[in-house]
Each structure stands twice: as C-alpha cells, then as structure tokens.
Amino acid sequence: MAERKRILITGAAGFLGSHLCDRFIAEDYHVIGMDNLITGDLRNIAHLFKLENFEFYNHDVSKFVYVPGDLHYILHFASPASPIDYLKIPIQTLKVGSLGTHNLLGLARSKNARMLIASTSEVYGDPSVNPQPEEYWGNVNPVGPRGVYDEAKRFQEAITMAYHTFHGLETRIVRIFNTYGPRMRLNDGRVLPAFIGQALRGESLTMFGDGSQTRSFCYVDDLVEGIYRLLFSDYSQPMNIGNPDEITIRQFGEEIIKLTGTDQKLISLPLPTDDPKQRRPDITKAKSILGWEPKVSRSEGLKITYDYFKSLPEKEIQHKDFKYFNKN
Ligand code: NAD
Ligand code: UDP
C-alpha cells in the first residue's frame, strides 16, 4: 500500500478547518491538525482523535512551527475570522496573518510542500465594484477597526506570492466569501449565528444599519469542494470561492425569522464602522478553471445549519459571551 500523503491544517479546531480535516481524512490523507484554540473548539474535531491517520498539535502558529516528518501540503486557516473576534484580539489577528504565515511558508519551503492560504473577500474592503472580480484591488481602510484583519490578509497574500515568485514555492490563494454551516460558534457575532441564536433565545434580531447592505452566503460543503479543487489545480493567482446569490441583510433576517418560526422582529442597531455595503463574488475563474460552482441553495444550507444550532445544549444557546484564551 502506498504511503499516505501528509497534510498540515492550521486552524483545525475552527469552523472551516474542522470541515477540511474531515474532507482530507475522507480522502485517506494523514492529517496533522494545529490550533491554539483561541476561537476554536476541540469538540469540532473530537471524532477524529481515535483515528490513526489524525494527529493534533496545540500550538500558536505565530511562534516557530515545527512538524516532524514529511509534509506534502499545508492549508493555513488559523486566524480569528469574525469582526467581533478580530476586534477583541486585534494583535493576535495581525500576528497570525503575518508572522504565522511567514512561519508556515518557511516550513513549506523546508519540506517542499504546497501551501494554500485562506484569504478573504475582506481584501476588497468596502468595494466600489459589484460583483468583485479577482482583478479588483479593493477599498480598505488600514487604520479602521477592520484594518487588523484586512491588512493581515493582504500582507498574507503578498508574502505568499513573494515565496512563489522568489523561491518557486507551490502556493495557492483562496479568497473566501461569507461561508456558513454547522460548527460555527453560536456567539461569534457573525450575522447568521447571531440571528439564529437570537431567534432560539426569543430575542429581537439585531440588524445593523437599515439592513440594505448585502452579502452572499456560501454553504460550507461547497466551499470545501472549491478549496479541494484549487489545491490540486495549477493556478497560483488568487481565486474567489463563494456563492454569488446576493441578499440584503434585512431580507436575510426575514428568512431567518421564517425558518425559525420565531415571533420576534428585526430591530435596527448602528452600522459598525467600515461595514462593507455590498459583497458578491465574481466566480467566473472558479467556474472556468476549476469547473466549480456552488450546489447548495441558501434554503437547504440554512435548514441544515439551523438544525445543528437547535441541537446544541440549552446552556450553550443561552451563553452569549466568549472567553478568549492565549492573550499574548
Ligand atoms: P474560526 O474562528 O472558526 O477558526 C479559526 C481557527 O484558527 C480557530 O480554531 C482558532 O483557534 C485558530 N487560530 C487562531 N489564531 C491561531 C494561532 N495563532 N495559532 C493557531 N491557531 C489559531 O474561523 P473560520 O470561519 O473557520 O475561519 C478560518 C479561516 O478562513 C480564517 O483564516 C478566516 O480568515 C478564513 N475565512 C473565513 C470566512 C468565513 O466565512 N468563515 C470567510 C473568509 C475567510
Ligand atoms: N450584521 C447584523 N447583525 C448582527 C451581525 C451582523 O446586521 O448581529 C450585519 C453586519 O453589519 C454585516 C453583515 O451582517 O453587514 C455580515 O456581518 P458578519 O459579521 O457576518 O460578516 P462580515 O461580512 O461583515 O465580515
């Protein structure tokens, strides 16, 4: 039997990282998960610990990263990802996108591994073109509250491309648009868990601003398939992966009210600083280069996600705050 290929997945205990671990285990890889659990939860990968082809390191990737043995692939997904998280832990967010990425690029180079980084639609900032093609350079405020995330991700893309150009490293850059599904943290502040959590607790749904801002939500299984295809393609420029089905936040709130059957209403709270007014991926490249497009409709994906949140212990549904560990 051929030796299994070995893949390191950072952010493994998080929402997307845990789904990626599942996918590569299903494809019979040896998966090495790494996470410092600052926003992640070991329960997301608890089912993998019994497998001989899974191992886990509790480690902060902003510090020197060492992994013994061969490595064929690295997926760098470690980073706070929700606006509430990166506002509360701004320095760690900057470090994991910059120092963490540098450490992992060095590791990839020493192991001759292919590295894929999780970038984001936030590199487009508050975009003045809609939908956003990869060629759009963005409209980002570096010193606004979102700057810690946006600029870390922009630096991450720049250093990854430099390792590709100057060291000939095999690299891939995925620009992920708002993705949702089971294992999101109910209290991470992102709009979907916020609305569903509020509906489950019998609270009003907190719509920021007048709700006319738009987002385009992608179900996690579709995203994972897109990332899988990108990793094994020979495309090293940034690639958008997301669902172009755009909706206003007000309409989205109304859909959640209908789905959950709550008798609560939307209430309007102030719009956060620099909140993008519109967001929708142009996925022409993913379609033509990867033969990829999303398959799961919002109504199907929301139903699965709602069932997941509903099945959580009542104590967790009621628990609105989140404690951050690893403050340094
Ligand atoms: P998440 O918070 O669920 O997962 C992030 C994981 O990274 C957590 O388990 C956290 O503990 C870990 N982590 C953070 N800093 C670390 C460090 N220094 N060392 C080791 N581990 C660390 O968030 P997510 O939604 O799964 O996002 C994963 C990645 O995808 C992030 O890089 C994020 O920027 C990117 N992304 C996500 C979305 C989305 O819609 N979910 C959109 C765009 C980009
Ligand atoms: N939002 C909202 N109510 C909430 C949380 C978020 O109206 O309780 C809005 C937010 O202002 C933004 C959109 O929903 O316009 C998506 O926010 P999220 O934090 O999920 O991610 P973003 O796309 O802004 O990174």
Side-chain angles (χ1 to χ4, degrees), residues 141-216:
N141 175 3
V143 294
R146 302 173 85 103
V148 295
Y149 182 68
D150 300 9
E151 296 296 1
K153 292 291 185 179
R154 288 168 70 97
F155 174 86
Q156 181 181 46
E157 288 198 8
I159 193 170
T160 299
M161 197 47 82
Y163 266 68
H164 176 69
T165 310
F166 291 98
H167 292 312
L169 189 72
E170 284 266 25
T171 53
R172 306 288 180 267
I173 300 174
V174 58
R175 289 187 181 151
I176 301 168
F177 284 66
N178 297 63
T179 299
Y180 69 97
R183 302 186 192 153
M184 289 185 100
R185 221 172 67 233
L186 197 52
N187 55 5
D188 81 0
R190 286 186 267 199
V191 67
L192 182 144
F195 281 177
I196 294 187
Q198 287 157 350
L200 287 171
R201 291 189 297 270
E203 299 168 358
S204 307
L205 277 63
T206 54
M207 177 181 73
F208 297 161
D210 64 3
S212 62
Q213 70 273 33
T214 67
R215 294 295 185 272
S216 308

Side-chain angles (χ1 to χ4, degrees), residues 11 13-17 35-40 59-62 77-81 85 96 118-120 149 153 176-179 190:
F15 164 48
L16 298 182
D35 203 296
N36 68 349
L37 305 178
I38 194 162
T39 63
H59 181 70
D60 177 349
V61 301
S62 300
F77 277 67
S79 171
D85 285 347
V96 72
S119 187
T120 165
Y149 182 68
K153 292 291 185 179
I176 301 168
F177 284 66
N178 297 63
T179 299
R190 286 186 267 199

Side-chain angles (χ1 to χ4, degrees), residues 252-289:
F252 188 62
E254 283 159 2
E255 282 189 5
I256 301 285
I257 288 173
K258 201 161 159 217
L259 171 75
T260 58
T262 176
D263 48 16
Q264 297 294 324
K265 302 261 175 300
L266 291 168
I267 52 161
S268 177
L269 295 183
L271 190 67
T273 308
D274 298 338
D275 196 295
K277 285 181 271 312
Q278 50 185 357
R279 182 180 290 156
R280 173 185 181 179
D282 178 332
I283 57 165
T284 310
K285 283 198 174 52
K287 277 186 180 161
S288 63
I289 297 169

